Amino acid sequence: MEEKPLIIDPPVGPYSPIGEIKTWLKELEAMNQSDERDFSIQQVKEWIAAHAGE
Amino acid sequence: MSVLLAENQRTSIKAKIKRASQRARSAIKKLDKSVAQDLLEVYAIAREQLQTTIQQHAGNDGLVSLVVMRDIVDQIDQIIDTLAVQRDNLLGSALGRGARIGTGVFEDAIRASRIQAISDDAVRFVQHFVADDGLQLSSRLWRNTEQARTNVKLAVQSAIIQGHSASQAAQDFINRGVSIPAELSRNIKHSSAFNIANIAGRELMVNEDNAYAQAKRIFRTEINRAHGVAYENAAFEHPDVIGLRFLLSPNHPRVDICDMHASVNRYGLGPGVYPRDKSPWPAHPNTLSFQEVVFSDEVSEEDKNGKQDRIAWLNGQAPHVQSAVVGGRKKYAALKNGFLKEGEITTPWQVLKVKYQRKGIDVDGLQVTPDIIEAESGVKRSIQAVRQESRDYVLSKGLNSGWEHGHAFDVKTGHVFLRKTSRKPREISFSTRELQVFQNPRNNLELSHNHPSSSSLSGADLHFATQKGISRVVAVGHDGSVYSASVNEERKVFSRFYRDAEQIIRDEMWSLINKKVIAVDVANAVHAHLVNSLLSTSGLIDYTVEHFGDFAKKQIDRLPFDVELRVAELVKKLEL
């Protein structure tokens, strides 16, 4: 039976190089769907957008 | 029929009191936080005034000379005097509010005039209460003021004098046509207005055992005391109240004497229940424990027959609980060897030592023989023991494997629900059945997991903690850090505010990174801690750093600001 990732801890932070953040986003997108995965994806997209604004 | 109606009404009022008691516990926590925020502002204003005064006395070279020292010291006195008045006014009002939260629980059961009188009496009691150190509240506040005054003045005077001596020595070098040694130049800079202003601020609010931290402790202790005394006195006005139950806070961080008070059935009224004037609450300053009303019909036959003294209770506990409750190796040994009596549990060892020596007991030879049978006999473990096992488990497994490991147990029953890893370093996945257990509101699960990065709880961790069956989520860093939190909002509301809080912190940190005030690695390491501190200050989560490990502490120390103060300033941006 498919298990859902509910505990997720990022290996990068919002101030990491944008390439590393994008790699983490790809890892998240490859995970099984769960509310916590979706929450993390949205968070990481905000990190990327903030990077663009800096 | 009328008897039945009266009985129904009585039952309904008792149920209302129980519900109101729970609300009152939340209300007093909120009051504690809100007053702490006001107190912080009072101290922050005083700090700013100190720093402005010092900087205004700087010469053209940016240094503070000996000539203006007297003037600065006089102004420090005035600022500290004003601070003390504002602090006392704030506490006076908070004591009244705390007491009214306690009596408000019984507003349907007691006359309004009695409610007001009980609240007023509770505040007077707190004002005149003499603690174990022999001090009344007014003396304790006076001591707090004088400590602030003395520490700030001494630190400022010392910096000015050191700078003055260094300047004089430098002048000698100049007169002799010799260049000034680098160390002397550094000492001169020590008396720069910027540096002295910084020293004054740290003395007041940052350095170990600073006056602000002490005031915060006094506030929490006394507001809670006013609340508890008012609650207790109002409770016993109800004819069906038989006692008060000593409740541990859900955040109770480690085993201590409160565990005994909350568990021993000393009076045959049930575990942790005490008749009027017999409650040991509050067991210590800064307590996180509460009391809850117990009605006579709640006391069972089992409770009545299960009366035990505290030594009997202690003897039934695991060794680590015994040791933590009595406090200290020697007292633990005295318990294990049958010397410690019930009235001596809270007596300091130094006092007991003399007493035992008079009785001819060899105190130097007191030691504990390892009790293997007890350790392996399946003695019922305390919740604290299970909690410790949970944290130890995820840390040791994580360190060995490099993966994330989870451990969950029920904080009411101690039942271990799962030990799990998905053999991945950044995630733990759960089956549908496991998720259903986390969603079941009847469960009270504490979920621990390891963080190889040693950073605080992530947004996803907290998001998961909104599940109804989770009471607390815990992250154990590989450097030994322990962060824990519970979420006070449902997940949609939480998600929105989490994003807002994260953006506030991100904006702040990006600004510091761009100004090269802070390094990227530090910003990443402390990011989650700052977001969680902001959410906690705003009341959206209850967040506790139970321990900072070496790595985390080093990162926090590298920040250019005091986290608590900065977060208190930023919380105004979070629109709730």
Side-chain angles (χ1 to χ4, degrees):
Chain A
M1 188 183 283
E2 185 182 270
E3 297 205 327
K4 288 174 181 287
L6 303 178
I7 289 287
I8 301 171
D9 291 302
V12 294
Y15 321 104
S16 300
I18 197 149
E20 291 178 16
I21 300 178
K22 284 181 176 171
T23 305
W24 171 236
L25 177 61
K26 280 184 189 154
E27 275 184 53
L28 283 169
E29 286 169 342
M31 287 179 187
N32 291 335
Q33 195 281 330
S34 72
D35 283 354
E36 279 62 37
R37 185 202 72 149
D38 294 347
F39 178 88
S40 299
I41 286 176
Q42 182 167 359
Q43 182 184 34
V44 171
K45 285 182 175 170
E46 284 170 14
W47 293 358
I48 292 170
H51 248 283
E54 289 311 310
Chain B
M1 187 64 159
S2 61
V3 174
L4 193 61
L5 276 174
E7 191 54 36
N8 280 347
Q9 195 183 11
R10 212 174 166 107
T11 307
S12 151
I13 287 176
K14 286 196 297 198
K16 261 189 179 173
I17 289 174
K18 284 278 184 184
R19 286 195 298 273
S21 298
Q22 199 165 12
R23 283 199 300 275
R25 290 196 290 276
S26 292
I28 203 75
K29 281 185 200 167
K30 276 189 187 156
L31 175 67
D32 182 49
K33 275 196 170 168
S34 131
V35 175
Q37 177 75 20
D38 294 342
L39 182 70
L40 178 65
E41 285 185 18
V42 165
Y43 273 79
I45 289 168
R47 180 189 57 172
E48 210 171 304
Q49 288 171 340
L50 285 172
Q51 294 178 328
T52 306
T53 294
I54 292 163
Q55 279 168 339
Q56 282 171 345
H57 283 83
N60 292 336
D61 52 3
L63 302 179
V64 178
S65 74
L66 208 51
V67 182
V68 295
M69 191 166 80
R70 184 68 253 164
D71 196 23
I72 292 180
V73 166
D74 287 346
Q75 293 198 30
I76 291 174
D77 272 330
Q78 286 173 22
I79 293 166
I80 299 292
D81 286 342
T82 308
L83 166 67
V85 170
Q86 289 174 336
R87 178 203 59 201
D88 294 355
N89 288 343
L90 184 60
L91 181 59
S93 139
L95 289 178
R97 286 157 72 193
R100 281 194 295 280
I101 290 171
T103 49
V105 170
F106 302 92
E107 62 190 7
D108 288 345
I110 306 174
R111 287 195 324 273
S113 59
R114 277 299 294 149
I115 293 266
Q116 186 57 48
I118 293 169
S119 295
D120 295 345
D121 285 349
V123 172
R124 272 194 294 276
F125 174 84
V126 169
Q127 285 164 341
H128 295 110
F129 177 75
V130 179
D132 289 344
D133 58 4
L135 294 180
Q136 281 188 339
L137 179 57
S138 56
S139 310
R140 187 163 291 106
L141 290 169
W142 179 84
R143 200 162 68 169
N144 179 248
T145 308
E146 292 316 302
Q147 189 205 357
R149 194 191 307 280
T150 308
N151 289 358
V152 171
K153 281 203 301 203
L154 276 179
V156 168
Q157 285 172 315
S158 163
I160 294 173
I161 291 165
Q162 274 182 38
H164 174 74
S165 307
S167 294
Q168 277 191 329
Q171 192 58 50
D172 286 345
F173 279 97
I174 292 166
N175 293 345
R176 281 187 277 134
V178 181
S179 62
I180 303 169
E183 197 185 336
L184 209 51
S185 298
R186 275 199 296 276
N187 286 345
I188 294 171
K189 280 185 193 156
H190 200 64
S191 69
S192 73
F194 177 80
N195 188 50
I196 297 175
N198 196 23
I199 287 173
R202 295 185 75 82
E203 278 300 334
L204 187 68
M205 298 190 71
V206 179
N207 287 352
E208 200 177 339
D209 214 20
N210 62 76
Y212 162 64
Q214 284 194 356
K216 208 160 67 156
R217 255 196 315 274
I218 295 171
F219 269 53
R220 173 183 266 184
T221 304
E222 302 308 333
I223 293 169
N224 210 7
R225 196 193 307 278
H227 166 71
V229 168
Y231 181 88
E232 177 169 350
N233 290 339
F236 281 107
E237 298 259 321
H238 192 290
D240 293 345
V241 170
I242 198 160
L244 291 173
R245 180 178 289 114
F246 190 110
L247 289 179
L248 286 182
S249 157
N251 301 345
H252 185 56
R254 62 187 71 81
V255 178
D256 64 14
I257 199 152
C258 292
D259 290 73
M260 178 181 75
H261 295 324
S263 306
V264 64
N265 181 6
R266 211 175 157 194
Y267 295 94
L269 299 174
V273 183
Y274 297 84
R276 183 162 206 172
D277 298 329
K278 296 291 181 192
S279 173
W281 183 95
H284 52 74
N286 222 18
T287 185
L288 298 166
S289 307
F290 288 100
Q291 300 189 96
E292 183 193 50
V293 69
V294 174
F295 295 104
S296 49
D297 56 6
E298 290 179 71
V299 180
S300 67
E301 280 307 308
E302 194 186 344
D303 293 332
K304 288 175 191 164
N305 298 328
K307 189 174 165 179
Q308 61 181 161
D309 68 28
R310 290 175 294 173
I311 294 294
W313 181 87
L314 274 168
N315 284 332
Q317 304 306 306
H320 79 278
V321 176
Q322 295 172 330
S323 170
V325 169
V326 298
R329 198 170 43 86
K330 282 290 184 184
K331 274 177 79 180
Y332 173 51
L335 171 75
K336 299 300 278 184
N337 286 284
F339 297 129
L340 192 76
K341 301 285 175 262
E342 193 171 19
E344 297 171 345
I345 293 171
T346 56
T347 310
W349 171 247
Q350 290 310 322
V351 178
L352 282 184
K353 186 179 169 183
V354 176
K355 190 173 168 185
Y356 289 171
Q357 278 170 332
R358 275 200 213 114
K359 283 185 181 173
I361 296 169
D362 173 17
V363 290
D364 295 327
L366 262 183
Q367 53 183 301
V368 179
T369 310
D371 198 344
I372 296 165
I373 297 169
E374 186 177 31
E376 295 183 348
S377 64
V379 171
K380 195 178 173 192
R381 293 175 306 160
S382 70
I383 297 300
Q384 288 297 340
V386 181
R387 174 170 287 138
Q388 195 55 51
E389 176 196 284
S390 176
R391 293 160 184 204
D392 291 348
Y393 174 84
V394 296
L395 181 59
S396 65
K397 287 282 182 185
L399 284 170
N400 283 334
S401 66
W403 300 324
E404 280 213 13
H405 292 258
H407 182 290
F409 71 96
D410 192 294
V411 296
K412 290 266 167 74
T413 63
H415 172 72
V416 176
F417 160 56
L418 65 73
R419 294 182 182 87
K420 176 141 196 173
T421 181
S422 300
R423 296 173 172 260
K424 291 180 180 170
R426 298 294 169 197
E427 62 171 282
I428 310 173
S429 294
F430 296 94
S431 67
T432 306
R433 194 198 72 80
E434 287 165 341
L435 176 56
Q436 283 166 351
V437 177
F438 284 119
Q439 288 170 331
N440 187 338
R442 279 179 302 179
N443 293 326
N444 299 278
L445 296 170
E446 182 167 306
L447 172 64
S448 294
H449 65 292
N450 57 304
H451 272 189
S453 65
S454 298
S455 58
S456 183
L457 292 151
S458 69
D461 292 341
L462 294 175
H463 190 259
F464 186 45
T466 56
Q467 296 291 3
K468 302 279 186 223
I470 296 181
S471 75
R472 206 154 181 85
V473 64
V474 181
V476 183
H478 282 198
D479 71 342
S481 296
V482 180
Y483 312 93
S484 72
S486 57
V487 180
N488 303 329
E489 287 292 346
E490 58 93 15
R491 52 179 34 204
K492 264 194 183 162
V493 177
F494 167 78
S495 298
R496 183 158 62 84
F497 285 115
Y498 186 89
R499 281 201 296 276
D500 290 348
E502 205 193 24
Q503 188 179 340
I504 290 168
I505 296 295
R506 238 182 9 237
D507 291 348
E508 168 88 358
M509 298 305 267
W510 268 125
S511 154
L512 295 173
I513 290 168
N514 291 337
K515 288 180 196 159
K516 303 206 182 305
V517 173
I518 185 171
V520 161
D521 62 326
V522 177
N524 276 329
V526 301
H527 176 76
H529 171 62
L530 294 178
V531 175
N532 298 341
S533 299
L534 183 55
L535 290 168
S536 183
T537 306
S538 66
L540 287 160
I541 65 173
D542 281 326
Y543 170 62
T544 307
V545 179
E546 297 177 23
H547 177 68
F548 269 134
D550 287 345
F551 174 78
K553 188 165 186 332
K554 209 175 277 178
Q555 308 310 312
I556 296 290
D557 288 344
R558 287 171 69 192
L559 289 173
F561 49 75
D562 179 79
V563 171
E564 195 182 356
L565 301 184
R566 191 65 195 125
V567 162
E569 284 155 9
L570 290 173
V571 81
K572 292 169 196 156
K573 294 187 181 178
L574 193 61
E575 287 176 19
L576 298 175

